[in-house]
């Protein structure tokens, strides 16, 4: 992801507590819901001549569809939380304030003295910042959503002068990194510094870390760097790897550790995780009552906001927008794909999960296009299922599991529906489940080494869809 | 670019460097400086320039030119008060700064004032309260100052000859009236001299001092001149011993016939324009032998800078030989 850097442009603050703080005054003004939504939308319109394009150009256009983004109503809720918490925490960390210097000093003193990293110890001079919890099914688009929201802020703000005084400072407004890649404490620290170096654009690791530093020093080093570079918010993605650390990775950092790392020095954290991991975490809460830290963590996790990213449902205007961003009128005018049944089948197959819908739709459109080029008359529903079979092999097990609790119909609109369409819906579910996985293609992906329920993250494999094989199977029938 | 700490009011470059070092993993300042490619120590304000300052100056370039940086964050201008700048002519500023980083004044006579980094305990207390940290002020490192202007207390030295931030909560010692007055007098001279073109300062001053001694070019074989200079040395020693000046220097009593006045030409040594002594010597000589009126009067006459030994027309009366005898006998 490209780093956006801007020069500080200080804005007058309406509330007096935000005045006189360069880090707050340099933040972009908050967006209204409509401004925000407009900013978040990404459409990739096909050219009018789509059907006349070469195969390579078509693939190019289809590739762009991966970027399509239709914000849901949780998006603004999350944005508001991010904005409010970031600002609130910057207020307590005004770099021109005595207490902020004291905080930085006491943290860096611990770094130099190689002190033990103490999870229990509260930090001096600064109030603990909150966490924002974001959960949702795997593949629902949490990462993309959060990073897109964060991207409404510049990532680095460069200050040079504030109120006539020299103020040569870089403000790293946000950082986002992945616990998937940070399965040990050491890896966490190195990912943190690599990301920070990428963001500020220069080598700084040497200022904070020496080779062979202990875990304690690495943790103090991250804290020092977070204060020195005025980090406004840290997004920890794929937190399921730390929510239930016992399972696979013994040296994984625990959630209390991560909270001590950042929240306690006044940096708010967004933790995003799968629903599954959260459910497991909560269910083990009782047996872990004696573990005070875990309990505290649960309390704190719920303290500010828990935003649940929901699956897509049929008959909602948002889904219709989402659908038509892929199935664009320029190629699908008067096509069968616009039927209610097709939409329902697509949703059911993908259990309403954004990434799955995106992958399946793109694969479908590619096949649709190449088949119709050959002048075939198409049965879209059938083609959809065929593409699902070929393309979604690795997705099937987790999707099948999700489907069990997924109601394709929007819960609010249920009453208005006829029994007739309910019948159809049930059939769509069994159609989806009728899928029998072919013998696994030779893949070294680790997902194949794990039972389906432990797949917490679906890797987007290489685009392996082979349109010709589908074409061939289509012709055989 | 590295994130350097935001300078606090009147903060010295060395202090910013130290606070920068504080925010790192390095255990000693020396290792921090070394990693950043410099080997010079920052042991005293007399170390006029440390190559790491260049990095700091670069980081603050958006607001301060290198020249601004030098005058705002270092004491170089105090030291260059009498420095013959022709020595640096034609050199790039980088070369000059590199030279300054190893620069030493002639002669090993020790001026106490700038041997250690100094601070005002009251300022340190206030800074800790107000800014959350103590720091070294540029003003306190000024070589001719003993007293904090703001609090009228004596400046304290940092215990070691390494840099650190001043302790807070140290008790302060109230400055005596004579200390305060001496600081004021010296500051007056410095601002007077600062208004004079830099290449003329030392020449004018030395000229006037030679006029006082009634020797323009000292001749060791001329018994009359030798005697006069010895009398002058006596007077210098007496005035020095009875003034607050002792506190500015590392040597105890100044005695004529003893180092540095052990040779008949001891004083004349100080008056040679080609030599660069510590500016504190010149300030002391000026303050002990000249008046501001005399200096102002000399400014009426043009100085021939192409011949540095050529005197300006006499504007001060030489000390009367009979008075010299009387004064040195008393
Ligand atoms: Zn003071």
């Amino acid at each position: 992801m490209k780093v956006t850097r801007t020069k500080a442009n200080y804005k007058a603050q309406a509330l007096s507590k935000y005045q006189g703080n360069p880090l707050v005054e340099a933040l972009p003004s908050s967006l209204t819901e409509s401004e925000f939504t407009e900013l978040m939308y990404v459409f990739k319109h096909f050219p009018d001549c789509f059907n006349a394009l070469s195969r390579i150009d078509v693939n190019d256009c289809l590739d762009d569809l991966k970027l399509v983004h239709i914000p849901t109503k949780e998006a603004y809720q999350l944005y508001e939380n991010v904005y409010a918490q970031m600002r609130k925490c910057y207020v307590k960390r005004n770099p021109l304030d005595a207490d902020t210097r004291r905080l930085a000093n006491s943290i860096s003193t611990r770094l130099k003295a190689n002190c033990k990293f103490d999870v229990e110890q509260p930090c001096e001079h600064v109030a603990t910042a909150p966490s924002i919890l974001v959960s949702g099914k795997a593949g629902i688009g949490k990462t993309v959503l959060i990073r897109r929201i964060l991207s409404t802020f510049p990532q680095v703000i460069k200050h040079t002068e504030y109120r006539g005084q020299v103020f040569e400072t870089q403000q790293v407004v946000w950082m986002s990194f992945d616990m998937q890649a940070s399965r040990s404490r050491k890896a966490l620290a190195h990912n943190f510094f690599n990301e920070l170096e990428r963001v500020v654009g220069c080598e700084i690791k040497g200022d904070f870390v020496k080779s062979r530093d202990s875990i304690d020093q690495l943790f103090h080093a991250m804290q020092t760097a977070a204060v020195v570079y005025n980090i406004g918010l840290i997004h920890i993605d794929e937190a399921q790897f730390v929510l239930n650390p016992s399972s696979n990775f013994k040296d994984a950092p625990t959630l209390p550790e991560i909270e001590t790392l950042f929240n306690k020095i006044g940096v708010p954290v967004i933790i995003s995780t799968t629903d599954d991991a959260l459910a497991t975490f909560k269910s083990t809460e009782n047996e872990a009552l004696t573990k005070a830290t875990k309990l505290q963590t649960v309390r704190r996790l719920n303290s500010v906001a828990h935003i649940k990213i929901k699956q897509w449902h049929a008959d909602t205007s948002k889904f219709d927008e989402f659908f038509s961003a892929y199935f664009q009128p320029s190629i699908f005018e008067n096509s069968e794909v616009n039927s209610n049944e097709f939409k329902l089948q697509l949703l059911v197959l993908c259990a309403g999960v954004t990434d799955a819908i995106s992958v399946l739709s793109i694969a479908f459109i590619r096949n649709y296009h190449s088949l119709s080029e050959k002048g075939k008359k198409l049965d879209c529903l059938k083609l959809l299922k065929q593409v699902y079979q070929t393309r979604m092999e690795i997705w099937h097990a987790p999707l099948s599991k999700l489907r069990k609790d997924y109601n394709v119909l929007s819960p609010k609109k249920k009453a208005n529906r006829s029994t007739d369409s309910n019948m159809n819906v049930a059939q769509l579910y069994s159609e989806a489940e009728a899928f029998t996985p072919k013998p696994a293609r030779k893949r070294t992906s680790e997902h194949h080494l794990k039972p389906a329920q432990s797949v917490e993250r679906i890797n987007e494999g290489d685009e392996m869809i082979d349109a010709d094989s589908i074409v061939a199977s289509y012709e055989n029938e | 670019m590295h994130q350097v700490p935001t300078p606090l009011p009147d903060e010295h470059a060395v202090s910013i460097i130290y606070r920068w070092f504080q925010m790192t993993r390095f255990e000693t300042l020396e290792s921090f400086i070394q990693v950043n490619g410099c080997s010079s120590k920052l042991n005293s304000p007399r170390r006029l320039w440390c190559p790491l300052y260049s990095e700091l100056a670069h980081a603050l370039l958006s607001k301060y030119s290198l020249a601004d940086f030098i005058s705002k964050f270092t004491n170089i201008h105090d030291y260059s008060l009498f420095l013959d700048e022709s020595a640096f002519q034609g050199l790039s500023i980088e070369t000059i700064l590199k030279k300054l980083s190893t620069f030493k004044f002639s002669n090993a006579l020790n001026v106490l004032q700038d041997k250690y980094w100094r601070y005002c305990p009251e300022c340190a207390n206030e800074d800790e309260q107000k800014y959350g940290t103590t720091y070294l002020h540029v003003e306190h490192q000024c070589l001719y100052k003993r007293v904090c202007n703001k609090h009228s207390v004596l400046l304290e030295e940092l215990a070691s000859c390494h840099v650190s931030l001043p302790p807070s909560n140290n008790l302060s010692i109230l400055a005596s009236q004579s200390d305060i007055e001496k600081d004021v007098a010296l500051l007056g001279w410095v601002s007077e001299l600062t208004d004079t073109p830099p290449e003329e300062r030392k020449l004018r001053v030395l000229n006037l001092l030679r006029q006082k001694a009634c020797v323009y070019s000292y001749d060791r074989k001329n018994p009359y001149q030798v005697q006069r200079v010895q009398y002058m040395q006596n007077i210098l020693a007496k005035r020095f011993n009875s003034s607050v000046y002792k506190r500015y220097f590392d040597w105890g009593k100044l005695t004529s016939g003893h180092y540095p006045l052990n040779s008949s030409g001891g004083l004349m040594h100080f008056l040679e324009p080609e030599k660069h002594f510590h500016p504190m010597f010149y300030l002391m000589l000026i303050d002990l032998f000249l008046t501001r009126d005399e200096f102002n009067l000399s400014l009426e006459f043009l100085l021939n800078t192409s011949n540095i030994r050529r005197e300006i027309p006499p504007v001060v009366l030489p000390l009367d030989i009979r008075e010299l005898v009387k004064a040195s006998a008393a």
Side-chain angles (χ1 to χ4, degrees):
Chain A
M1 217 167 27
K2 206 170 159 284
V3 179
T4 50
R5 300 189 177 89
T6 58
K7 284 197 166 149
N9 169 22
Y10 302 110
K11 291 169 205 70
Q13 297 293 306
L15 303 178
S16 65
K17 64 177 166 178
Y18 295 128
Q19 291 161 4
N21 183 321
L23 303 185
V24 172
E25 289 182 12
L27 289 178
S29 315
S30 60
L31 301 166
T32 64
E33 187 160 4
S34 58
E35 287 168 338
F36 170 80
T37 311
E38 203 181 309
L39 204 63
M40 293 285 281
Y41 271 109
V42 181
F43 289 111
K44 294 287 169 183
H45 292 292
F46 295 148
D48 291 336
C49 56
F50 184 83
N51 285 318
L53 291 177
S54 72
R55 192 170 169 140
I56 284 187
D57 287 342
V58 167
N59 283 341
D60 207 297
C61 292
L62 292 176
D63 221 36
D64 283 346
L65 285 182
K66 287 180 187 162
L67 305 171
V68 162
H69 188 85
I70 308 295
T72 53
K73 69 173 191 308
E74 298 101 12
Y76 190 67
Q77 202 190 343
L78 182 55
Y79 169 80
E80 277 185 316
N81 269 290
V82 165
Y83 194 95
Q85 292 312 328
M86 199 186 273
R87 194 165 68 161
K88 229 180 229 171
C89 293
Y90 268 145
V91 160
K92 293 169 194 151
R93 289 166 50 216
N94 186 344
L96 306 176
D97 276 359
D99 273 344
T100 308
R101 286 194 196 89
R102 292 191 183 106
L103 166 76
N105 265 337
S106 55
I107 295 169
S108 67
T109 305
R110 284 198 282 269
L111 168 65
K112 282 189 205 299
N114 193 11
C115 292
K116 194 114 195 70
F117 186 79
D118 188 350
V119 176
E120 303 285 319
Q121 188 194 4
C123 241
E124 306 88 339
H125 313 299
V126 69
T128 301
S131 300
I132 299 167
L133 179 62
V134 177
S135 68
K137 304 291 182 230
I140 199 72
K142 299 179 290 295
T143 307
V144 172
L145 174 69
I146 294 168
R147 293 198 176 150
R148 284 196 61 82
I149 289 174
L150 293 176
S151 301
T152 63
F153 299 86
Q155 195 162 9
V156 180
I157 299 175
K158 177 102 183 60
H159 301 258
T160 49
E161 189 177 335
Y162 180 68
R163 297 193 170 179
Q165 300 295 312
V166 62
F167 183 59
E168 217 24 270
T169 295
Q170 295 189 78
Q171 175 182 6
V172 174
V173 180
W174 56 273
M175 286 229 306
S176 171
F177 59 91
D178 193 333
M179 293 310 293
Q180 155 91 350
S182 313
R183 299 192 190 185
S184 72
R185 294 173 168 86
K186 276 215 160 111
L188 169 71
H190 290 290
N191 286 334
F192 173 88
F193 280 109
N194 290 341
E195 180 61 10
L196 186 59
E197 280 190 342
R198 192 184 73 86
V199 167
V200 300
C202 82
E203 285 181 25
I204 48 146
K205 211 171 181 173
D207 283 358
F208 302 102
V209 181
K210 270 192 204 167
S211 58
R212 296 217 209 133
D213 266 351
S214 66
I215 299 290
D216 296 282
Q217 272 164 320
L218 290 174
F219 275 39
H220 288 307
M222 281 190 272
Q223 288 193 321
T224 309
V227 172
V228 167
Y229 284 90
N230 305 298
I231 296 179
L233 181 138
I234 289 176
H235 169 216
I236 294 168
D237 204 9
E238 311 291 356
Q240 58 271 24
F241 289 103
V242 292
L243 278 168
N244 304 298
S246 54
S247 53
N248 286 317
F249 317 107
K250 290 200 178 68
D251 191 38
T254 63
L255 201 53
E257 270 174 338
I258 290 180
E259 293 226 304
T260 313
L261 250 186
F262 301 121
N263 300 46
K264 280 199 182 166
I265 56 166
V267 181
V269 172
I270 301 181
I271 293 167
S272 57
T273 183
T274 56
D275 284 340
D276 284 354
L278 200 64
T280 326
F281 183 64
K282 281 185 173 160
S283 68
T284 54
E285 180 188 339
N286 285 337
E287 72 195 51
L289 272 182
T290 45
K291 290 182 182 169
T293 50
K294 194 160 185 179
L295 184 65
Q296 279 169 7
T297 306
V298 177
R299 280 196 199 128
R300 221 178 295 141
L301 268 178
N302 296 325
S303 69
V304 170
H306 180 183
I307 291 163
K308 294 175 190 165
I309 312 292
K310 295 185 195 74
Q311 286 140 291
W312 295 97
H313 296 282
D315 289 343
T316 58
S317 61
K318 286 285 178 191
F319 177 70
D320 286 342
E321 284 181 53
F322 186 66
F323 184 86
S324 54
Y326 285 89
F327 298 89
Q328 296 178 17
S330 60
I331 36 174
F332 291 106
E333 212 170 4
N334 304 322
S335 161
E336 201 192 319
V337 303
N338 296 311
S339 72
N340 206 32
E341 202 181 3
F342 184 87
K343 289 182 188 172
L344 285 170
Q345 184 69 79
L346 176 66
L347 278 170
V348 169
L349 282 170
C350 299
V353 170
T354 318
D355 290 0
I357 298 174
S358 170
V359 170
L360 181 57
S361 301
I362 292 172
F364 174 87
I365 299 167
R366 181 169 300 151
N367 284 286
Y368 178 94
H369 183 259
S370 91
L371 285 169
S372 39
E373 240 184 359
K374 296 190 168 137
K376 304 278 179 218
K377 192 170 182 314
L378 296 171
D379 175 349
C380 290
L381 264 179
K382 190 176 159 198
L383 179 61
L384 182 67
K385 281 176 273 189
Q386 277 180 321
V387 173
Y388 178 83
Q389 241 171 37
T390 322
R391 178 66 184 89
M392 306 297 278
E393 187 193 328
I394 55 162
W395 294 73
H396 179 66
L399 287 179
S400 169
K401 186 170 163 262
L402 288 179
R403 230 172 266 137
K404 291 192 182 95
D405 307 314
Y406 170 63
N407 185 357
V408 67
L409 302 172
S410 170
K412 287 171 197 160
K413 295 185 180 170
K414 221 172 184 174
N416 303 337
R417 225 173 297 270
S418 69
T419 43
D420 179 44
S421 75
N422 274 341
M423 286 277 290
N424 288 339
V425 166
Q427 202 194 332
L428 294 173
Y429 274 80
S430 47
E431 288 276 334
E433 290 309 326
F435 169 84
T436 345
K438 288 190 231 163
R441 261 180 273 166
K442 200 169 167 109
R443 268 175 186 267
T444 47
S445 161
E446 56 192 15
H447 295 294
H448 285 265
L449 307 174
K450 286 191 261 171
Q453 59 265 35
S454 74
V455 176
E456 288 170 314
R457 186 188 198 216
I458 296 164
N459 272 324
E460 172 73 8
D462 294 337
E463 176 77 37
M464 288 184 68
I465 182 69
D466 174 3
D468 292 333
S469 75
I470 293 182
V471 175
S473 72
Y474 208 82
E475 281 164 346
N476 290 341
E477 283 177 30
Chain B
M1 194 167 337
H2 283 274
Q3 188 100 316
V4 301
T6 301
L8 296 165
D10 189 43
E11 187 170 24
H12 195 284
V14 76
S15 178
I16 306 173
I17 299 267
Y18 191 86
R19 293 197 298 119
W20 178 9
F21 148 75
Q22 266 193 326
M23 288 301 122
T24 66
R25 166 77 179 77
F26 294 94
E27 279 129 14
T28 61
L29 183 63
E30 287 70 25
S31 59
F32 173 70
I33 292 173
Q34 228 162 39
V35 163
N36 283 283
C38 330
S39 55
S40 50
K41 286 183 176 160
L42 291 164
N43 46 3
S44 79
R46 228 178 285 181
R47 177 78 57 185
L48 298 185
W49 187 260
C50 152
L52 196 50
Y53 291 173
S54 300
E55 195 134 334
L56 187 59
H58 184 71
L60 301 178
L61 206 59
S62 65
K63 174 89 174 165
Y64 302 106
S65 67
L66 187 56
D68 291 342
F69 176 86
I70 287 170
S71 58
K72 191 170 165 67
F73 298 103
T74 75
N75 291 94
I76 291 183
H77 285 311
D78 293 336
Y79 288 91
S80 63
L81 190 62
F82 296 106
L83 219 50
D84 185 357
E85 301 199 352
S86 63
F88 297 127
Q89 247 164 32
L91 297 178
S92 70
I93 182 105
E94 287 78 15
T95 318
I96 294 173
L97 291 175
K98 208 174 158 199
K99 284 192 167 212
L100 282 182
S101 69
T102 54
F103 184 83
K104 281 196 174 74
F105 289 106
S106 315
N107 206 310
L109 289 179
N110 271 326
V111 177
L112 187 68
Q113 272 319 85
D114 54 3
K115 231 178 154 181
Y116 304 101
W117 295 100
R118 298 182 306 157
Y119 68 96
C120 159
E122 300 294 325
C123 285
N125 277 336
E126 288 180 11
D127 293 340
E128 162 57 40
Q129 291 293 316
K130 193 167 174 197
Y131 301 109
T133 179
T134 62
Y135 61 95
L136 293 166
H137 289 243
V138 177
E139 200 190 310
H140 296 162
Q141 315 313 322
C142 185
L143 60 98
Y144 49 85
K145 271 198 178 147
R146 295 191 73 232
V147 180
C148 171
N149 275 1
K150 190 173 169 195
H151 298 101
S152 300
V153 301
L154 289 178
L155 297 174
E156 299 286 330
E157 292 164 357
L158 284 180
S160 69
C161 59
H162 294 290
V163 194
S164 63
L165 296 186
S168 56
N169 301 320
N170 257 22
L171 290 178
S172 58
I173 302 166
L174 213 58
S176 69
Q177 198 51 39
S178 59
D179 283 323
I180 295 171
E181 280 164 8
K182 190 51 75 188
D183 267 25
V184 171
L186 291 177
L187 184 65
W189 272 113
V190 169
S191 39
E192 187 94 62
L193 287 158
T194 311
D195 291 341
T196 316
E199 66 279 6
E200 292 186 11
R201 290 171 196 159
K202 186 156 78 174
L203 294 182
R204 284 191 184 276
V205 163
L206 295 186
N207 250 308
L208 291 176
L209 287 169
R210 283 164 183 278
Q211 287 181 20
K212 275 275 167 179
C214 201
V215 273
Y216 291 119
S217 46
Y218 180 62
D219 179 0
R220 269 187 297 171
K221 290 184 182 129
N222 180 335
Y224 175 76
Q225 285 198 353
V226 171
Q227 203 188 10
R228 277 195 75 89
V229 168
Q230 273 170 351
Y231 282 130
M232 286 289 287
Q233 288 184 172
N234 277 340
I235 294 171
L236 172 63
K238 281 196 172 159
R239 290 196 183 173
F240 174 82
N241 291 340
S242 62
S243 73
V244 296
Y245 270 116
K246 265 198 296 194
R247 299 173 200 154
Y248 290 78
F249 291 92
D250 213 6
W251 10 286
K253 279 175 80 149
L254 190 60
T255 319
S256 184
H258 288 86
Y259 183 82
L261 303 177
N262 47 353
S263 78
S264 56
L267 174 62
M268 291 313 292
H269 233 62
F270 292 149
L271 304 186
E272 279 172 30
E274 295 89 348
K275 292 223 156 115
H276 303 302
F277 286 100
H278 193 290
M280 195 60 210
F281 282 103
Y282 299 115
L283 278 177
M284 176 179 76
L285 290 174
I286 293 167
D287 190 51
L288 288 178
F289 289 107
L290 298 179
T291 66
R292 299 272 286 276
D293 287 345
E294 289 168 333
F295 185 76
N296 278 326
L297 196 60
S298 84
L299 293 175
E300 313 262 319
F301 300 93
L302 276 179
L303 191 73
N304 181 357
T305 46
S306 60
N307 180 359
I308 53 171
R309 292 224 168 246
R310 228 188 95 186
E311 65 276 12
I312 48 170
V315 290
V316 296
L317 285 175
L319 287 167
D320 189 294
I321 186 77
R322 280 160 309 189
E323 279 194 21
L324 281 179
V325 176
K326 221 162 74 189
S328 67

